[in-house]
Amino acid sequence: MVEWKPEDRGGSGGQGVAPSEAALLIHDGDRLLESDGRLAAITGHTVDDLRYVSLLPTLFAPVSLPYVQRVIGEKDATAHIFFARRKQGGLLPVEVTTRPGIYEGKPAQFTLICDVTAPRRTISGLNEWERRFRHTLDNVRMIAVQLDAQGTILYANDYLLELSGWRRDELVGANWFERFVPEKARAAVRQVHGRVMAGEMEMAAHFENPILTRDGTSRMVSWNNTLLLDESGGIIGSSSLGEDITDTLRVAVDLRASEARWRSLAEGSPDHVVTLAPDLTITYVNRPLPGLTVGEMVGASILTFKASEQRSLVEATLAGVLESGKSARYESRYPFPGEGDLYYETNAAPLFDDGSITGLTLVVRDITARKEDERRLIDAHRRLEEAIAEKDQYLSLIAHDIKSPLSGVRSMLQMIRENPARLQSGERDVGGAMIANIDKVLRLIDHMLAGRGTQGTTPLSRKVVSLRHLVDEAVQSLEVAAAEKGVAVENRIPESLTRYVDPALIHQLFMNLLSNAIKFSHRGGHVTVEAREDEDRIVVADTGVGIDPSRIPSLTDSSVTTTTPGTAAETGYGLGLPFCQKIVRLHGGELTIVSTPGVGTRVAARLPERRPVALIVDDDELIRIVYGARLRDMGLSVQEAGDGVSAMGLMEREKPDLVLCDIHMAPGDGFETLRWARDRWEATDLPFYLVSSDSRPDTREKGRQMGANGLLVKPISEEALDREIRTHLFV
């Protein structure tokens, strides 16, 4: 290690301090390598304080740091005056002498630091170090002033002159308190100064107070203070360095006001306002996300509150905002435990401080309701497309069914044209047959105009109907097609077998099943329709070509086209069986197919028995018993309620098929109950009869305007009750 000698300091004219008054630091420009420990007596910093930190920024004031770094590494040892940081706060002028050297075989920097306010450096002994010190003070943007014990200004640097508007000759020799201290505080400040000069109290190393300029304006100054001592250690004055912080305080006040306004806006915002540090840690949130507290969010990463599959995308988006300085918008999902998913739209913008990006501001809006609306819109669009496809399918099937009776009429007309005498021969009632076929076409057109498809949005128009009657109608419609192939169709369904079904759709079901059976039967084949009273299955069986078992699963799938020519080259659309499956499922059943190639096919439609439900609402239990017995005799299931409120509760749980409701009862009279029902169902979907002994025209008219299907006057005759029930629930 290079030996450090007093003559190595290179001071000016031997005016430097003795080595015993200086602290030696050996360093590499950043880290402390060695020290003699004397620095603690000057700045308060120990060797341990400086060992593991960046040396120069810790030891020197920001105003001096660039100059210190510039002189480090100079070949010749030179002395400079800089401002060092006291450990306990405040600044201290020090003389710094530095030169390069070798420490433990490696290049290092050897620096001596001396306190220029030591007793040897008094105001009376202006020498070379003081000249350099004052030169330094005159070239920094800080106030430098020296006062004697009475407060007389001994020295004022150029920056104080510039800031205050006074000339140097107007200040030196003048009283500091009279020139610079506001009148209200003058006496108190003078008293404190006097006590410090008398040694009665310690001088504050650091404080802030205002000074007056020549034009009477006030500037706020942050002071660092040091006592001036004579050679014997007596107090002879003070030396102060001050920083004008007026603009800084004004900016701070404006910032606080701006922050207060910003927070006021944020706290009142219906959206979530979040600020993030550059590492995406939450530093502020006006309102926490559902199920969380502000404390749980602040300090956590924003990515914690995103769905796992979205975190990388959100992270990349926010990183892009930090890098580019441009705002971005994105949507994300927040999995809310126990409540499902919440969706948010986030607008992310950069936070700037002095031109640099220091974080992000997020405005987070709950769009869960909007997302739900979008989902419903998509679902509605999908259902609309499905409904249109089903309607097209339905029209195709109707067209196919219309074609058969029209073909029969055409054949009969062709026969008459070729031999008119046959019309009068009495061989067959040709005219009657043509009228019957035209009636069938008209019924099919009625069904089509009524929009009777299989889409689930259209309620079933159920009625109690004879299944044998529906099969007979279908057989008659297909009579010509069956006769042309010589296929016999036998209806074995009992006369008494009824079901509460949609007659038009079940008629269409039998039409399609019988049409297929005839289509794939050989000439002279046999088709039967049978069902048992104790079963809920209707089976259509034929002795036709049969079906390959591997094809059966796809026959009822509407997404698979399975059209096959019949035994007489009849064509079709491949839509019949999927349509039939939908009809049966709408009624709560299932369509099943069993077939043996070369033997025939059996198609079973399960139609579960369901009785129509009538709700009787009356506060008179005896009336409920009488009406209930009559309705049960008609094959209906009966529910009872003693008031309108109870009736609404029953209907909320399960819609009945017909309502008989008394008018005068409480709570919830008949009109209130009717209004509640009509808010949910049309008169065609839920027949609703008011019952009352009040038969006045205005009562009847009020019920009609509110949507009642009629008014039944007590006592109700069996004939009137049967007539209204059968009108709506029976064919």
Side-chain angles (χ1 to χ4, degrees), residues 219-220 243-256:
R219 308 292 295 184
M220 183 62 71
E243 179 184 3
D244 180 11
I245 60 173
T246 306
D247 294 337
T248 302
L249 288 178
R250 185 177 297 118
V251 170
V253 170
D254 291 343
L255 284 175
R256 284 195 293 269

Side-chain angles (χ1 to χ4, degrees), residues 659 661 674 678 687-691 700 703-704 707-713 724 728:
V659 178
C661 184
L674 172 60
R678 285 296 170 255
F688 195 110
Y689 282 88
L690 292 172
V691 178
R700 192 179 300 274
R704 187 190 66 79
N709 292 78
L711 173 66
L712 298 176
V713 180
E724 299 301 334
H728 293 287

